[in-house]
């Protein structure tokens, strides 16, 4: 019995130790994640090799693996910034970002696991303050929103490219102006719209008047040309031709006697 105990106890202890070593020496990296290896006795964070990909991995029990999400992530920021004339503007922006995969080791070594708060959030805030400060509230409210979004994206991307973070898109979801400024801008825009509508109606009326004038002048010119071409001799010839045509008609019985003024026949009646 004592002999069995002497043999069994070391086996049990060995099995437990083996399980602990295996547990400490394996790691499973999930979908959309990557691992950064830290070698305790081999130079620290590994930056000269690609990160560990998805799946099951063996590591030395004295080393560590830091797991990062490498899929696209979303970060929303609401902030108050100043316009070009010093008014406080509310901006609600969202950034789509992810770490550069092959630079994940450098990101971990230089920025750490809290890189979103240490790098991305300050970069977005800095870019928004810089861009919004170039515009007036009127420009922010109306025609410049797309331009502002593009400029914020470019400035944020320029900062993050040097910080091992890939910026995919910046979306400006809302720009909030002070209530009094918003009301004043809306009133101004409405007045400008009404002024444009009035100018359009006025221009339309002027064009219609011009059309009628040209039409009247055309008719007057036509009448003058026609009157100038109708001499007494032509009128008499036309009258004679018309009388001849009437006399040929089977439905018209015309008695013509004498002559009228200017030599024109006189039609006395028909049966």
């Amino acid at each position: 019995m004592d002999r069995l105990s002497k043999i069994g106890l070391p086996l049990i202890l060995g099995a437990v130790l083996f399980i602990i070593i295996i547990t400490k020496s394996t790691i499973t990296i999930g979908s959309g994640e990557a691992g950064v290896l830290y070698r305790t006795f081999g130079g620290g964070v590994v930056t000269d090799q690609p990160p560990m990909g998805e799946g099951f991995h063996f590591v030395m029990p004295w080393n560590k693996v830091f797991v990062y999400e490498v899929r696209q992530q979303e970060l929303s920021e609401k902030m108050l910034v100043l316009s070009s004339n010093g008014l406080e503007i509310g901006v609600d922006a969202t950034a789509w970002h992810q770490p550069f995969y092959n630079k994940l080791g450098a990101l971990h070594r230089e920025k750490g696991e809290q890189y979103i708060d240490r790098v991305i959030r300050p970069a977005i805030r800095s870019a928004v303050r810089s861009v919004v400060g170039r515009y007036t509230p009127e420009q922010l409210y109306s025609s410049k929103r797309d331009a502002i979004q593009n400029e914020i994206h470019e400035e944020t991307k320029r900062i993050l490219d040097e910080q091992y973070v890939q910026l995919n898109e910046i979306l400006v979801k809302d720009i909030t102006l002070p209530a009094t400024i918003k009301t004043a801008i809306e009133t101004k825009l409405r007045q400008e719209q009404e002024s444009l509508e009035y100018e359009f109606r006025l221009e339309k009326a002027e064009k219609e008047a011009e059309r009628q004038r040209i039409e009247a002048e055309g008719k007057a010119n036509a009448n003058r040309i026609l009157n100038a071409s109708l001499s007494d001799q032509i009128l008499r010839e036309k009258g004679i031709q018309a009388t001849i045509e009437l006399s040929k008609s089977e439905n018209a019985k015309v008695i013509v006697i004498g002559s009228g003024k200017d030599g024109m026949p006189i039609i006395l009646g028909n049966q």
Side-chain angles (χ1 to χ4, degrees):
M1 188 71 178
D2 293 338
R3 184 179 177 184
L4 182 61
S5 299
K6 291 179 181 179
I7 297 174
L9 184 59
L11 289 175
I12 293 173
L13 292 176
V16 172
L17 183 61
F18 178 76
I19 293 172
I20 293 174
I21 292 174
I22 291 297
T23 303
K24 292 291 185 178
S25 301
T26 61
I27 184 172
T28 300
I29 298 177
S31 177
E33 296 177 337
V36 176
L37 178 62
Y38 178 86
R39 291 174 176 162
T40 304
F41 304 110
V45 178
V46 175
T47 59
D48 57 352
Q49 298 177 9
M52 301 169 66
E54 301 172 2
F56 185 79
H57 299 269
F58 283 99
V59 294
M60 293 295 101
W62 51 83
N63 292 337
K64 296 180 181 179
V65 176
F66 296 89
V67 178
Y68 282 80
E69 184 173 1
V70 292
R71 288 176 295 199
Q72 178 174 281
Q73 302 167 64
E74 179 179 286
L75 175 64
S76 294
E77 278 290 293
K78 292 183 179 180
M79 64 205 85
L80 293 175
V81 294
L82 298 180
S83 65
S84 62
N85 55 1
L87 292 175
E88 197 171 68
I89 308 297
V91 179
D92 184 1
T94 294
W96 292 345
H97 65 89
Q98 61 195 103
F100 283 114
Y101 186 85
N102 289 328
K103 296 181 180 179
L104 194 59
L107 175 66
H108 177 73
R109 184 180 62 187
E110 297 183 20
K111 312 302 175 185
E113 296 176 284
Q114 304 301 319
Y115 73 94
I116 292 178
D117 291 328
R118 293 175 179 174
V119 175
I120 300 178
R121 205 181 300 273
I124 295 173
R125 289 180 172 272
S126 175
V128 170
R129 283 194 298 268
S130 175
V131 172
V132 172
R134 303 169 191 162
Y135 294 94
T136 64
E138 290 84 355
Q139 292 172 325
L140 296 171
Y141 184 78
S142 56
S143 60
K144 296 295 183 179
R145 183 164 299 193
D146 289 341
I148 291 167
Q149 179 170 290
N150 291 335
E151 289 182 27
I152 293 174
H153 177 268
E154 291 301 320
E155 292 216 11
T156 308
K157 186 176 186 302
R158 177 177 54 81
I159 297 172
L160 295 182
D161 281 348
E162 300 176 356
Q163 306 298 322
Y164 316 116
V165 176
Q166 174 181 318
L167 180 67
N168 298 332
E169 190 60 84
I170 285 282
L171 304 175
V172 177
K173 296 188 290 186
D174 187 40
I175 295 178
T176 305
L177 306 181
T180 53
I181 300 300
K182 182 178 180 180
T183 301
I185 292 173
E186 290 176 346
T187 301
K188 179 181 177 181
L189 292 175
R190 184 170 60 252
Q191 291 174 346
E192 290 177 352
Q193 183 63 32
E194 291 174 352
S195 176
L196 290 174
E197 291 177 357
Y198 174 77
E199 290 179 2
F200 173 76
R201 291 195 298 268
L202 184 62
E203 182 179 355
K204 183 178 180 180
E206 290 177 349
K207 288 182 178 180
E208 178 62 19
E210 179 68 12
R211 186 192 67 79
Q212 293 179 359
R213 184 185 65 79
I214 293 173
E215 183 179 356
E217 288 181 353
K219 291 180 179 179
N221 291 334
N223 290 334
R224 282 196 297 270
I225 294 171
L226 181 62
N227 291 335
S229 64
L230 294 177
S231 62
D232 293 342
Q233 182 64 30
I234 292 175
L235 289 174
R236 282 195 295 272
E237 291 179 0
K238 294 293 183 182
I240 293 171
Q241 291 176 2
T243 303
I244 294 172
E245 293 298 327
L246 286 173
S247 67
K248 294 178 181 179
S249 174
E250 296 179 356
N251 296 325
K253 297 180 180 179
V254 182
I255 300 175
V256 181
I257 61 173
S259 63
K261 184 179 180 182
D262 298 326
M264 296 295 291
I266 298 177
I267 302 175
L268 297 178
N270 59 354
Q271 296 181 352

